[in-house]
Amino acid sequence: MATVIDKPQTKVARPQVRQTQCFIGGKWVPAVSGKTFETIHPATEEVIAEVAEGDAEDIDAAVAAAREQFDGGEWSKMDARDRGILMYRLADLIEQEADELAALETLDNGKPIRDARGADIPLVIDTLRYYAGWCDKIQGATIPVRGDYFCYTRREPVGVVGQIIPWNFPALMVAWKWGPALAAGCTIVMKPAEQTPLTCLRMARLAQKAGLPDGVINVVPGYGPTAGAALVRHPGVDKIAFTGETTTAKIIQREAVETMKRCTFELGGKSPNIVFADADLDAAVDGAHFGLYFNQGQCCCAGSRLFVEERVHDEFVDRLKAKNHDRKLGDPFDPQTEQGPQVDKAQFDKILKYIGYGKQEGAKLVTGGNRHGDEGYYIEPTLFTGVTDEMKIATDEIFGPVLSVLKFKNVDEIAKRANRTNFGLAAAVWSRDIAKAHKLAAKVRAGTVWINCYDVFDAAAPFGGFKESGIGRELGEAGLQAYTESKTVTVSLS
Ligand code: ADP
């Protein structure tokens, strides 16, 4: 997510929508109920497609297909390296269709095409290739136990996994979830977000084309409290991997207790982005701007609490203000567009409500604060100063283009203030004093700390939250282990 590497110059054509049904056991089927729901283009509010609205019965069928493949099919018995070859093939097919997939993401989510092409889809490909390489490197250990025994561990796939993902990086979340699950030899039932089912369905088609056996990947589009909840409750599912809101995760964890499912959660945040006066301010201004406004502010790790050291505060705010004024909002299919619409009306309304709270609580509105244009869910890049730790805009996840600037005096107070939150997903520190930065990185209770950079992701680097920002880690080897069970085998040698 750090770099935009490809900037098409001409306006990108709208893609065709090809897959709208459930994908179960290698077949494309309508929902058992026959129901469908609309998915819309957030820039124009027009309906793009009617998508099958899966429910408990469809989840039953999908779990049965995943179960059958896992328990009796070829996937988990296949030579590990051959599983890897199929995953590389899927990554290659996605690469061949990268432009079309990016356009589909822009259509469904509203994100600018330059981000979808330059960040989301390249990261999808990279993640799948990273995990393809893991397939034949999942190893147990030999254990030196007492007595005349040979003891070793095996790492086995956890089984059928239910994966529930959000709408902010629809295709990338598919890759984060499928990559480690497939490498470990699990089979999958995925429920994409109701706002953005299209790239997930397209990727399921590409997985089929790549030759993944029927039942390995199943996709049931639908709503959370129906399809999602049915997946969480289903006794045939061994693990739930969820990305979304903390409040939803709490519901899921309560439900999952009944069947003792393994759960991993990647949740919300209110990440502190801390700028010291001795930082490279050019880089820090860019990092603060990108760290919040990227993806319309719809990032779980958005640097939404910007702490700026008093001495440079006013200059810093002036520079951020100028950047906000220059930011190009518009048609997400235009390659020059830097900011598109929010994903839907509910998010749009929520963000405007929080802007209202900011004003009521006495923060100073420096830029933005309003809807942009009169069509689509656009919100101006909004900047508040004079924000204090207790204001709602400093405590709650807004998930929109609203940046709260807080002043601080010195290093002693900042760790405490940075940690004054129930979240703990990410943080950043900007300083030329690298010892000070490392010391602060150790004190901040967050799963990721960036020093002199922001939003630098890599498939090999674990990501996840402390506190109410999550349980477990995604990406890297840690992300893979979360899809395995350890089995201890002890053999008598006497
Ligand atoms: P957001 O506000 O970002 O949409 P949610 O946590 O509501 O975050 O949604 C993330 C994902 O969780 C979506 O796929 C949604 O359909 C699903 N979801 C929502 N509620 C539930 C639920 N009760 N059980 C299972 N999944 C749910």
Side-chain angles (χ1 to χ4, degrees):
M1 257 166 259
T3 44
V4 173
I5 54 176
D6 172 30
K7 294 180 186 167
Q9 292 309 308
T10 53
K11 204 163 158 172
V12 172
R14 288 205 182 185
Q16 240 186 312
V17 176
R18 299 171 207 267
Q19 282 77 32
T20 57
Q21 294 188 309
C22 304
F23 182 59
I24 298 176
K27 299 207 165 49
W28 294 92
V29 292
V32 173
S33 67
K35 283 204 262 179
T36 59
F37 65 98
E38 292 175 346
T39 184
I40 56 138
H41 180 43
T44 58
E45 302 166 50
E46 79 201 90
V47 176
I48 310 164
E50 295 279 342
V51 177
E53 186 190 327
D55 202 339
E57 285 178 284
D58 309 282
I59 291 289
D60 274 348
V63 173
R67 200 71 262 168
E68 192 184 324
Q69 174 55 245
F70 185 78
D71 294 335
E74 64 257 63
W75 184 243
S76 48
K77 293 191 207 79
M78 186 182 284
D79 284 345
R81 204 162 304 152
D82 291 336
R83 248 186 3 252
I85 288 169
L86 291 177
M87 290 182 68
Y88 280 120
R89 207 178 283 162
L90 170 59
D92 290 347
L93 289 176
I94 292 172
E95 193 168 48
Q96 284 162 25
E97 277 200 10
D99 287 352
E100 197 179 336
L101 209 54
L104 196 58
E105 196 75 313
T106 291
L107 185 66
D108 212 9
N109 169 281
K111 66 176 65 199
I113 191 69
R114 57 184 269 166
D115 291 349
R117 280 175 70 148
D120 295 65
I121 303 303
L123 285 169
V124 165
I125 297 162
D126 203 45
T127 304
L128 290 172
R129 288 191 177 139
Y130 170 78
Y131 278 113
W134 264 111
C135 291
D136 59 355
K137 296 168 195 72
I138 301 172
Q139 299 171 349
T142 54
I143 318 285
V145 294
R146 284 188 194 280
D148 204 8
Y149 300 99
F150 169 50
C151 180
Y152 65 97
T153 56
R154 292 164 49 83
R155 295 224 69 107
E156 299 185 358
V158 74
V160 172
V161 298
Q163 302 184 321
I164 301 173
I165 56 170
W167 46 262
N168 56 343
F169 294 95
L172 186 57
M173 290 301 102
V174 172
W176 281 29
K177 295 281 183 285
W178 288 3
L182 294 175
C186 297
T187 60
I188 295 166
V189 178
M190 171 165 274
K191 194 206 80 64
E194 53 272 29
Q195 296 87 344
T196 53
L198 298 181
T199 45
C200 176
L201 291 169
R202 184 73 200 143
M203 286 166 75
R205 171 68 191 123
L206 295 179
Q208 188 177 33
K209 239 173 130 177
L212 271 83
D214 292 350
V216 172
I217 291 172
N218 306 274
V219 179
V220 180
Y223 291 99
T226 51
L231 189 55
V232 172
R233 279 197 293 266
H234 204 293
V237 174
D238 299 292
K239 169 191 163 86
I240 293 289
F242 171 81
T243 300
E245 282 190 43
T246 300
T247 46
T248 314
K250 289 180 183 180
I251 298 170
I252 290 177
Q253 195 161 30
R254 268 183 227 117
E255 289 285 342
V257 157
E258 282 306 314
T259 44
M260 285 305 271
K261 287 186 179 64
R262 287 89 186 96
C263 289
T264 45
F265 294 112
E266 200 267 272
L267 311 174
K270 192 75 190 176
S271 300
N273 191 4
I274 302 162
V275 180
F276 286 99
D278 62 4
D280 171 346
L281 291 189
D282 292 339
V285 167
D286 287 350
H289 181 85
F290 178 74
L292 186 284
Y293 296 109
F294 175 61
N295 207 39
Q296 294 66 247
Q298 301 167 146
C299 298
C300 48
C301 55
S304 51
R305 282 186 298 149
L306 178 64
F307 289 97
V308 182
E309 193 171 346
E310 210 169 26
R311 276 196 287 142
V312 291
H313 175 275
D314 294 353
E315 179 197 342
F316 204 87
V317 168
D318 284 345
R319 292 169 72 173
L320 278 174
K321 187 172 156 184
K323 279 188 87 72
N324 282 6
H325 282 138
D326 290 347
R327 193 163 174 79
K328 290 190 188 65
L329 275 70
D331 178 0
F333 281 100
D334 181 339
Q336 307 306 321
T337 294
E338 294 169 325
Q339 184 171 318
Q342 309 308 128
V343 77
D344 66 8
K345 174 113 180 21
Q347 293 297 320
F348 173 84
D349 288 343
K350 176 183 163 193
I351 295 160
L352 289 177
K353 187 176 79 186
Y354 271 97
I355 291 172
Y357 291 149
K359 291 179 193 162
Q360 280 161 27
E361 290 185 326
K364 183 179 166 210
L365 184 66
V366 177
T367 68
N370 299 301
R371 176 180 200 174
H372 168 86
D374 50 17
E375 183 188 53
Y377 306 122
Y378 290 88
I379 294 183
E380 295 169 343
T382 298
L383 179 65
F384 279 109
T385 56
V387 179
T388 57
D389 293 348
E390 307 72 31
M391 289 182 185
K392 281 198 183 72
I393 56 169
T395 57
D396 296 5
E397 185 175 44
I398 302 173
F399 229 64
V402 182
L403 180 54
S404 300
V405 186
L406 302 95
K407 253 186 220 179
F408 74 94
K409 282 202 179 67
N410 55 53
V411 68
D412 298 327
E413 78 171 81
I414 193 59
K416 215 166 148 197
R417 288 181 65 194
N419 286 332
R420 198 181 289 170
T421 168
N422 291 335
F423 293 116
L425 191 59
V429 181
W430 299 83
S431 172
R432 284 200 176 92
D433 179 344
I434 206 70
K436 178 167 76 179
H438 279 291
K439 281 184 193 161
L440 188 53
K443 282 186 188 157
V444 174
R445 305 226 345 116
T448 291
V449 181
W450 289 292
I451 296 178
N452 296 333
C453 55
Y454 209 96
D455 271 353
V456 177
F457 280 86
D458 192 286
F463 181 75
F466 280 35
K467 301 194 269 183
E468 293 192 20
S469 286
I471 297 179
R473 293 291 176 269
E474 295 195 281
L475 303 182
E477 187 176 358
L480 180 76
Q481 297 295 3
Y483 285 91
T484 68
E485 291 276 11
S486 173
K487 179 181 282 176
T488 303
V489 181
T490 305
V491 187
S492 169
L493 298 179
S494 56

PDB file of all heavy atoms in Angstrom, residues 164-167 191-195 222-225 228-229 232 242-245 248 251-252 347 399, ligand 1:
ATOM      1  N   ILE A 164     -14.537 -14.190   6.654  1.00  0.00           N
ATOM      2  CA  ILE A 164     -15.492 -13.080   6.518  1.00  0.00           C
ATOM      3  C   ILE A 164     -14.684 -11.795   6.376  1.00  0.00           C
ATOM      4  O   ILE A 164     -13.865 -11.477   7.244  1.00  0.00           O
ATOM      5  CB  ILE A 164     -16.416 -13.016   7.758  1.00  0.00           C
ATOM      6  CG1 ILE A 164     -17.181 -14.341   7.906  1.00  0.00           C
ATOM      7  CG2 ILE A 164     -17.384 -11.840   7.647  1.00  0.00           C
ATOM      8  CD1 ILE A 164     -18.003 -14.458   9.180  1.00  0.00           C
ATOM      9  N   ILE A 165     -14.920 -11.097   5.271  1.00  0.00           N
ATOM     10  CA  ILE A 165     -14.047  -9.954   4.981  1.00  0.00           C
ATOM     11  C   ILE A 165     -14.842  -8.660   4.765  1.00  0.00           C
ATOM     12  O   ILE A 165     -16.030  -8.689   4.466  1.00  0.00           O
ATOM     13  CB  ILE A 165     -13.139 -10.238   3.764  1.00  0.00           C
ATOM     14  CG1 ILE A 165     -13.969 -10.626   2.526  1.00  0.00           C
ATOM     15  CG2 ILE A 165     -12.124 -11.322   4.094  1.00  0.00           C
ATOM     16  CD1 ILE A 165     -13.165 -10.684   1.240  1.00  0.00           C
ATOM     17  N   PRO A 166     -14.153  -7.528   4.908  1.00  0.00           N
ATOM     18  CA  PRO A 166     -14.808  -6.223   4.754  1.00  0.00           C
ATOM     19  C   PRO A 166     -14.678  -5.691   3.327  1.00  0.00           C
ATOM     20  O   PRO A 166     -14.162  -6.374   2.442  1.00  0.00           O
ATOM     21  CB  PRO A 166     -14.016  -5.357   5.731  1.00  0.00           C
ATOM     22  CG  PRO A 166     -12.629  -5.897   5.635  1.00  0.00           C
ATOM     23  CD  PRO A 166     -12.754  -7.370   5.348  1.00  0.00           C
ATOM     24  N   TRP A 167     -15.104  -4.443   3.153  1.00  0.00           N
ATOM     25  CA  TRP A 167     -15.213  -3.849   1.825  1.00  0.00           C
ATOM     26  C   TRP A 167     -14.114  -2.861   1.488  1.00  0.00           C
ATOM     27  O   TRP A 167     -14.094  -2.310   0.396  1.00  0.00           O
ATOM     28  CB  TRP A 167     -16.567  -3.130   1.717  1.00  0.00           C
ATOM     29  CG  TRP A 167     -16.858  -2.282   2.933  1.00  0.00           C
ATOM     30  CD1 TRP A 167     -17.647  -2.634   3.997  1.00  0.00           C
ATOM     31  CD2 TRP A 167     -16.303  -0.999   3.253  1.00  0.00           C
ATOM     32  NE1 TRP A 167     -17.621  -1.642   4.950  1.00  0.00           N
ATOM     33  CE2 TRP A 167     -16.801  -0.620   4.515  1.00  0.00           C
ATOM     34  CE3 TRP A 167     -15.440  -0.119   2.588  1.00  0.00           C
ATOM     35  CZ2 TRP A 167     -16.460   0.580   5.137  1.00  0.00           C
ATOM     36  CZ3 TRP A 167     -15.095   1.080   3.205  1.00  0.00           C
ATOM     37  CH2 TRP A 167     -15.613   1.412   4.460  1.00  0.00           C
ATOM     38  N   LYS A 191     -17.231 -15.412   2.888  1.00  0.00           N
ATOM     39  CA  LYS A 191     -18.343 -14.471   2.698  1.00  0.00           C
ATOM     40  C   LYS A 191     -17.756 -13.081   2.509  1.00  0.00           C
ATOM     41  O   LYS A 191     -17.257 -12.470   3.449  1.00  0.00           O
ATOM     42  CB  LYS A 191     -19.304 -14.463   3.891  1.00  0.00           C
ATOM     43  CG  LYS A 191     -20.594 -13.757   3.494  1.00  0.00           C
ATOM     44  CD  LYS A 191     -21.350 -13.139   4.638  1.00  0.00           C
ATOM     45  CE  LYS A 191     -20.823 -11.826   5.097  1.00  0.00           C
ATOM     46  NZ  LYS A 191     -20.905 -10.716   4.109  1.00  0.00           N
ATOM     47  N   PRO A 192     -17.822 -12.591   1.262  1.00  0.00           N
ATOM     48  CA  PRO A 192     -17.329 -11.221   1.042  1.00  0.00           C
ATOM     49  C   PRO A 192     -18.295 -10.204   1.636  1.00  0.00           C
ATOM     50  O   PRO A 192     -19.441 -10.538   1.958  1.00  0.00           O
ATOM     51  CB  PRO A 192     -17.273 -11.110  -0.485  1.00  0.00           C
ATOM     52  CG  PRO A 192     -18.254 -12.111  -1.001  1.00  0.00           C
ATOM     53  CD  PRO A 192     -18.345 -13.214   0.034  1.00  0.00           C
ATOM     54  N   ALA A 193     -17.850  -8.967   1.743  1.00  0.00           N
ATOM     55  CA  ALA A 193     -18.727  -7.904   2.255  1.00  0.00           C
ATOM     56  C   ALA A 193     -19.868  -7.658   1.272  1.00  0.00           C
ATOM     57  O   ALA A 193     -19.666  -7.736   0.052  1.00  0.00           O
ATOM     58  CB  ALA A 193     -17.937  -6.626   2.468  1.00  0.00           C
ATOM     59  N   GLU A 194     -21.027  -7.347   1.798  1.00  0.00           N
ATOM     60  CA  GLU A 194     -22.202  -7.142   0.938  1.00  0.00           C
ATOM     61  C   GLU A 194     -22.038  -5.930   0.015  1.00  0.00           C
ATOM     62  O   GLU A 194     -22.640  -5.860  -1.045  1.00  0.00           O
ATOM     63  CB  GLU A 194     -23.476  -7.005   1.787  1.00  0.00           C
ATOM     64  CG  GLU A 194     -23.438  -5.952   2.891  1.00  0.00           C
ATOM     65  CD  GLU A 194     -22.870  -6.490   4.207  1.00  0.00           C
ATOM     66  OE1 GLU A 194     -22.040  -7.417   4.176  1.00  0.00           O
ATOM     67  OE2 GLU A 194     -23.259  -5.955   5.272  1.00  0.00           O
ATOM     68  N   GLN A 195     -21.171  -4.985   0.420  1.00  0.00           N
ATOM     69  CA  GLN A 195     -20.953  -3.800  -0.430  1.00  0.00           C
ATOM     70  C   GLN A 195     -20.088  -4.130  -1.649  1.00  0.00           C
ATOM     71  O   GLN A 195     -20.167  -3.440  -2.663  1.00  0.00           O
ATOM     72  CB  GLN A 195     -20.241  -2.694   0.376  1.00  0.00           C
ATOM     73  CG  GLN A 195     -21.022  -2.126   1.544  1.00  0.00           C
ATOM     74  CD  GLN A 195     -20.820  -2.915   2.828  1.00  0.00           C
ATOM     75  OE1 GLN A 195     -20.340  -4.050   2.822  1.00  0.00           O
ATOM     76  NE2 GLN A 195     -21.215  -2.334   3.935  1.00  0.00           N
ATOM     77  N   GLY A 222     -23.555 -12.337   0.599  1.00  0.00           N
ATOM     78  CA  GLY A 222     -24.752 -12.158   1.425  1.00  0.00           C
ATOM     79  C   GLY A 222     -24.450 -11.207   2.560  1.00  0.00           C
ATOM     80  O   GLY A 222     -23.370 -10.598   2.612  1.00  0.00           O
ATOM     81  N   TYR A 223     -25.410 -11.100   3.478  1.00  0.00           N
ATOM     82  CA  TYR A 223     -25.274 -10.147   4.590  1.00  0.00           C
ATOM     83  C   TYR A 223     -24.650 -10.805   5.823  1.00  0.00           C
ATOM     84  O   TYR A 223     -24.684 -12.036   5.970  1.00  0.00           O
ATOM     85  CB  TYR A 223     -26.647  -9.572   4.929  1.00  0.00           C
ATOM     86  CG  TYR A 223     -27.167  -8.658   3.830  1.00  0.00           C
ATOM     87  CD1 TYR A 223     -28.087  -9.125   2.892  1.00  0.00           C
ATOM     88  CD2 TYR A 223     -26.708  -7.353   3.723  1.00  0.00           C
ATOM     89  CE1 TYR A 223     -28.547  -8.295   1.871  1.00  0.00           C
ATOM     90  CE2 TYR A 223     -27.163  -6.511   2.709  1.00  0.00           C
ATOM     91  CZ  TYR A 223     -28.078  -6.989   1.796  1.00  0.00           C
ATOM     92  OH  TYR A 223     -28.519  -6.165   0.793  1.00  0.00           O
ATOM     93  N   GLY A 224     -24.138  -9.966   6.712  1.00  0.00           N
ATOM     94  CA  GLY A 224     -23.458 -10.452   7.908  1.00  0.00           C
ATOM     95  C   GLY A 224     -24.352 -11.216   8.870  1.00  0.00           C
ATOM     96  O   GLY A 224     -24.070 -12.365   9.221  1.00  0.00           O
ATOM     97  N   PRO A 225     -25.453 -10.599   9.315  1.00  0.00           N
ATOM     98  CA  PRO A 225     -26.274 -11.263  10.335  1.00  0.00           C
ATOM     99  C   PRO A 225     -26.967 -12.535   9.830  1.00  0.00           C
ATOM    100  O   PRO A 225     -27.470 -13.313  10.633  1.00  0.00           O
ATOM    101  CB  PRO A 225     -27.310 -10.194  10.700  1.00  0.00           C
ATOM    102  CG  PRO A 225     -26.684  -8.906  10.273  1.00  0.00           C
ATOM    103  CD  PRO A 225     -25.859  -9.218   9.073  1.00  0.00           C
ATOM    104  N   GLY A 228     -23.232 -14.514   7.172  1.00  0.00           N
ATOM    105  CA  GLY A 228     -22.042 -14.476   8.026  1.00  0.00           C
ATOM    106  C   GLY A 228     -22.278 -15.231   9.327  1.00  0.00           C
ATOM    107  O   GLY A 228     -21.465 -16.070   9.732  1.00  0.00           O
ATOM    108  N   ALA A 229     -23.400 -14.951   9.970  1.00  0.00           N
ATOM    109  CA  ALA A 229     -23.699 -15.591  11.260  1.00  0.00           C
ATOM    110  C   ALA A 229     -23.859 -17.104  11.096  1.00  0.00           C
ATOM    111  O   ALA A 229     -23.426 -17.878  11.959  1.00  0.00           O
ATOM    112  CB  ALA A 229     -24.963 -14.975  11.853  1.00  0.00           C
ATOM    113  N   VAL A 232     -20.482 -18.651  11.042  1.00  0.00           N
ATOM    114  CA  VAL A 232     -19.859 -18.642  12.371  1.00  0.00           C
ATOM    115  C   VAL A 232     -20.433 -19.764  13.245  1.00  0.00           C
ATOM    116  O   VAL A 232     -19.711 -20.411  14.003  1.00  0.00           O
ATOM    117  CB  VAL A 232     -20.068 -17.268  13.052  1.00  0.00           C
ATOM    118  CG1 VAL A 232     -19.615 -17.292  14.506  1.00  0.00           C
ATOM    119  CG2 VAL A 232     -19.334 -16.175  12.279  1.00  0.00           C
ATOM    120  N   PHE A 242     -11.682 -13.390  10.537  1.00  0.00           N
ATOM    121  CA  PHE A 242     -12.569 -12.254  10.329  1.00  0.00           C
ATOM    122  C   PHE A 242     -11.785 -10.955  10.277  1.00  0.00           C
ATOM    123  O   PHE A 242     -10.882 -10.732  11.081  1.00  0.00           O
ATOM    124  CB  PHE A 242     -13.574 -12.191  11.494  1.00  0.00           C
ATOM    125  CG  PHE A 242     -14.416 -10.938  11.511  1.00  0.00           C
ATOM    126  CD1 PHE A 242     -15.538 -10.825  10.699  1.00  0.00           C
ATOM    127  CD2 PHE A 242     -14.075  -9.862  12.324  1.00  0.00           C
ATOM    128  CE1 PHE A 242     -16.312  -9.666  10.700  1.00  0.00           C
ATOM    129  CE2 PHE A 242     -14.845  -8.695  12.337  1.00  0.00           C
ATOM    130  CZ  PHE A 242     -15.968  -8.599  11.517  1.00  0.00           C
ATOM    131  N   THR A 243     -12.144 -10.107   9.352  1.00  0.00           N
ATOM    132  CA  THR A 243     -11.653  -8.729   9.345  1.00  0.00           C
ATOM    133  C   THR A 243     -12.867  -7.821   9.294  1.00  0.00           C
ATOM    134  O   THR A 243     -13.746  -8.010   8.434  1.00  0.00           O
ATOM    135  CB  THR A 243     -10.727  -8.461   8.144  1.00  0.00           C
ATOM    136  OG1 THR A 243      -9.610  -9.339   8.222  1.00  0.00           O
ATOM    137  CG2 THR A 243     -10.223  -7.018   8.155  1.00  0.00           C
ATOM    138  N   GLY A 244     -12.933  -6.857  10.198  1.00  0.00           N
ATOM    139  CA  GLY A 244     -14.075  -5.948  10.233  1.00  0.00           C
ATOM    140  C   GLY A 244     -14.064  -5.164  11.531  1.00  0.00           C
ATOM    141  O   GLY A 244     -13.002  -4.941  12.135  1.00  0.00           O
ATOM    142  N   GLU A 245     -15.250  -4.795  11.965  1.00  0.00           N
ATOM    143  CA  GLU A 245     -15.356  -3.958  13.160  1.00  0.00           C
ATOM    144  C   GLU A 245     -15.215  -4.762  14.446  1.00  0.00           C
ATOM    145  O   GLU A 245     -15.674  -5.907  14.525  1.00  0.00           O
ATOM    146  CB  GLU A 245     -16.734  -3.291  13.179  1.00  0.00           C
ATOM    147  CG  GLU A 245     -16.822  -2.119  12.240  1.00  0.00           C
ATOM    148  CD  GLU A 245     -18.097  -1.336  12.447  1.00  0.00           C
ATOM    149  OE1 GLU A 245     -18.481  -1.105  13.606  1.00  0.00           O
ATOM    150  OE2 GLU A 245     -18.703  -0.974  11.440  1.00  0.00           O
ATOM    151  N   THR A 248     -18.495  -6.217  15.729  1.00  0.00           N
ATOM    152  CA  THR A 248     -18.908  -7.448  15.043  1.00  0.00           C
ATOM    153  C   THR A 248     -18.080  -8.632  15.545  1.00  0.00           C
ATOM    154  O   THR A 248     -18.610  -9.727  15.757  1.00  0.00           O
ATOM    155  CB  THR A 248     -18.725  -7.304  13.511  1.00  0.00           C
ATOM    156  OG1 THR A 248     -19.244  -6.051  13.098  1.00  0.00           O
ATOM    157  CG2 THR A 248     -19.415  -8.420  12.760  1.00  0.00           C
ATOM    158  N   ILE A 251     -19.419 -10.140  18.699  1.00  0.00           N
ATOM    159  CA  ILE A 251     -20.588 -11.011  18.445  1.00  0.00           C
ATOM    160  C   ILE A 251     -20.091 -12.367  17.937  1.00  0.00           C
ATOM    161  O   ILE A 251     -20.523 -13.430  18.396  1.00  0.00           O
ATOM    162  CB  ILE A 251     -21.529 -10.376  17.390  1.00  0.00           C
ATOM    163  CG1 ILE A 251     -22.086  -9.037  17.885  1.00  0.00           C
ATOM    164  CG2 ILE A 251     -22.660 -11.341  17.006  1.00  0.00           C
ATOM    165  CD1 ILE A 251     -22.834  -8.241  16.811  1.00  0.00           C
ATOM    166  N   ILE A 252     -19.156 -12.329  16.997  1.00  0.00           N
ATOM    167  CA  ILE A 252     -18.653 -13.568  16.386  1.00  0.00           C
ATOM    168  C   ILE A 252     -17.957 -14.438  17.428  1.00  0.00           C
ATOM    169  O   ILE A 252     -18.179 -15.654  17.497  1.00  0.00           O
ATOM    170  CB  ILE A 252     -17.704 -13.232  15.210  1.00  0.00           C
ATOM    171  CG1 ILE A 252     -18.526 -12.647  14.056  1.00  0.00           C
ATOM    172  CG2 ILE A 252     -16.905 -14.457  14.769  1.00  0.00           C
ATOM    173  CD1 ILE A 252     -17.724 -12.193  12.860  1.00  0.00           C
ATOM    174  N   GLN A 347     -21.724   4.689   5.507  1.00  0.00           N
ATOM    175  CA  GLN A 347     -20.413   5.223   5.892  1.00  0.00           C
ATOM    176  C   GLN A 347     -20.382   6.736   5.731  1.00  0.00           C
ATOM    177  O   GLN A 347     -19.851   7.459   6.570  1.00  0.00           O
ATOM    178  CB  GLN A 347     -19.308   4.579   5.030  1.00  0.00           C
ATOM    179  CG  GLN A 347     -19.111   3.104   5.290  1.00  0.00           C
ATOM    180  CD  GLN A 347     -18.661   2.807   6.707  1.00  0.00           C
ATOM    181  OE1 GLN A 347     -17.845   3.514   7.282  1.00  0.00           O
ATOM    182  NE2 GLN A 347     -19.210   1.760   7.299  1.00  0.00           N
ATOM    183  N   PHE A 399     -13.256   6.052  10.089  1.00  0.00           N
ATOM    184  CA  PHE A 399     -13.162   5.314   8.827  1.00  0.00           C
ATOM    185  C   PHE A 399     -13.523   6.209   7.635  1.00  0.00           C
ATOM    186  O   PHE A 399     -14.267   5.824   6.736  1.00  0.00           O
ATOM    187  CB  PHE A 399     -14.063   4.069   8.860  1.00  0.00           C
ATOM    188  CG  PHE A 399     -13.339   2.825   8.406  1.00  0.00           C
ATOM    189  CD1 PHE A 399     -12.265   2.334   9.125  1.00  0.00           C
ATOM    190  CD2 PHE A 399     -13.733   2.137   7.268  1.00  0.00           C
ATOM    191  CE1 PHE A 399     -11.589   1.190   8.714  1.00  0.00           C
ATOM    192  CE2 PHE A 399     -13.062   0.988   6.839  1.00  0.00           C
ATOM    193  CZ  PHE A 399     -11.997   0.511   7.567  1.00  0.00           C
TER     194      PHE A 399
HETATM  195  P1  ADP B   1     -18.022  -2.679   8.325  1.00  0.00           P
HETATM  196  O1  ADP B   1     -18.617  -1.627   9.172  1.00  0.00           O
HETATM  197  O2  ADP B   1     -16.664  -2.400   7.859  1.00  0.00           O
HETATM  198  O3  ADP B   1     -18.959  -3.151   7.239  1.00  0.00           O
HETATM  199  P2  ADP B   1     -18.545  -5.116   9.721  1.00  0.00           P
HETATM  200  O4  ADP B   1     -17.821  -5.697  10.868  1.00  0.00           O
HETATM  201  O5  ADP B   1     -19.976  -4.737   9.906  1.00  0.00           O
HETATM  202  O6  ADP B   1     -17.692  -3.884   9.280  1.00  0.00           O
HETATM  203  O7  ADP B   1     -18.487  -6.051   8.451  1.00  0.00           O
HETATM  204  C1  ADP B   1     -17.363  -6.822   8.087  1.00  0.00           C
HETATM  205  C2  ADP B   1     -17.850  -8.149   7.556  1.00  0.00           C
HETATM  206  O8  ADP B   1     -18.531  -8.842   8.604  1.00  0.00           O
HETATM  207  C3  ADP B   1     -18.840  -8.059   6.397  1.00  0.00           C
HETATM  208  O9  ADP B   1     -18.591  -9.128   5.496  1.00  0.00           O
HETATM  209  C4  ADP B   1     -20.181  -8.238   7.112  1.00  0.00           C
HETATM  210  O10 ADP B   1     -21.204  -8.746   6.268  1.00  0.00           O
HETATM  211  C5  ADP B   1     -19.813  -9.254   8.171  1.00  0.00           C
HETATM  212  N1  ADP B   1     -20.708  -9.288   9.336  1.00  0.00           N
HETATM  213  C6  ADP B   1     -21.440  -8.278   9.868  1.00  0.00           C
HETATM  214  N2  ADP B   1     -22.157  -8.712  10.932  1.00  0.00           N
HETATM  215  C7  ADP B   1     -21.886 -10.030  11.085  1.00  0.00           C
HETATM  216  C8  ADP B   1     -22.323 -11.043  11.992  1.00  0.00           C
HETATM  217  N3  ADP B   1     -23.184 -10.802  12.975  1.00  0.00           N
HETATM  218  N4  ADP B   1     -21.819 -12.287  11.851  1.00  0.00           N
HETATM  219  C9  ADP B   1     -20.927 -12.573  10.881  1.00  0.00           C
HETATM  220  N5  ADP B   1     -20.498 -11.667   9.987  1.00  0.00           N
HETATM  221  C10 ADP B   1     -20.956 -10.402  10.075  1.00  0.00           C
END
